[in-house]
């Protein structure tokens, strides 16, 4: 006990506990840190693992601009949508304007059995910034 009280050692112990807790949080939460992937990882999933690119923006947003080759399945209509692949083992790469809705969609799809549902960090903005193809 005297170790903790001498020379502010309690600060070091507290710092170690907090940092350990932050490192363990994704494991406790039950995921790989939120289900986000980079644009380069998204392209790898699409090209090498036959991943399906799904844009969860509303129809008007999708019409204004979307990633080339993506399917539009709005988040509000995602549950029970017929545009989802029947093979639940395929990676689902989800996009939206910023990544927030795509992350919610990924969590929803993982609960529905699509274990490899992930959201692109930064959404369409990151996709565009990475100079990946966009369509209107």
């Amino acid at each position: 006990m005297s170790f903790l009280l001498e020379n502010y050692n309690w600060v070091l112990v507290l710092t170690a506990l907090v940092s350990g807790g932050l490192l363990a949080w994704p494991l406790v939460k039950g995921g790989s840190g939120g289900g986000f992937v980079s644009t380069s990882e998204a392209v790898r999933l699409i090209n090498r693992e036959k991943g399906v690119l799904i844009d969860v923006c509303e129809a008007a947003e999708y019409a204004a601009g979307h990633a080339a080759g993506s399917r539009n399945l709005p988040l509000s209509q995602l549950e029970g949508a017929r545009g989802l692949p029947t093979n639940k083992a395929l990676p689902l790469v989800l996009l939206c304007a910023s990544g927030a809705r795509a992350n919610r969609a990924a969590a929803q799809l993982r609960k529905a059995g699509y274990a490899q549902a992930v959201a692109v960090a930064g959404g369409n903005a990151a996709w565009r910034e990475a100079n990946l193809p966009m369509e209107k």
Side-chain angles (χ1 to χ4, degrees):
M1 188 66 172
S2 63
F3 171 78
L4 291 176
L5 299 176
E6 294 175 12
N7 300 325
Y8 295 102
N9 288 337
W10 63 272
V11 174
L12 296 174
V13 171
L14 181 62
T15 303
L17 289 173
V18 169
S19 64
L22 291 173
L23 288 171
W25 180 250
L27 298 174
V28 172
K29 195 174 169 186
S32 61
F36 282 107
V37 295
S38 67
T39 53
S40 60
E41 177 64 11
V43 170
R44 188 193 70 74
L45 287 169
I46 294 164
N47 291 338
R48 295 204 178 141
E49 297 186 32
K50 298 181 183 177
V52 180
L53 185 59
I54 299 173
D55 192 315
V56 295
C57 290
E58 294 301 320
E61 291 175 281
Y62 183 79
H66 56 272
S70 64
R71 299 180 188 180
N72 183 226
L73 295 173
L75 177 61
S76 60
Q77 301 168 11
L78 194 60
E79 192 170 323
R82 293 188 179 182
L84 291 171
T86 55
N87 182 356
K88 292 186 175 186
L90 286 175
L92 298 183
V93 180
L94 303 157
L95 279 169
C96 69
S98 67
R101 284 178 285 177
N103 192 39
R104 287 196 308 269
Q108 183 178 341
L109 288 168
R110 283 192 298 270
K111 285 182 183 176
Y114 292 92
Q116 293 192 63
V118 293
V120 176
N124 282 327
W127 192 268
R128 198 174 296 112
E129 189 175 302
N131 291 320
L132 293 168
M134 298 289 290
E135 297 176 339
K136 281 194 177 193

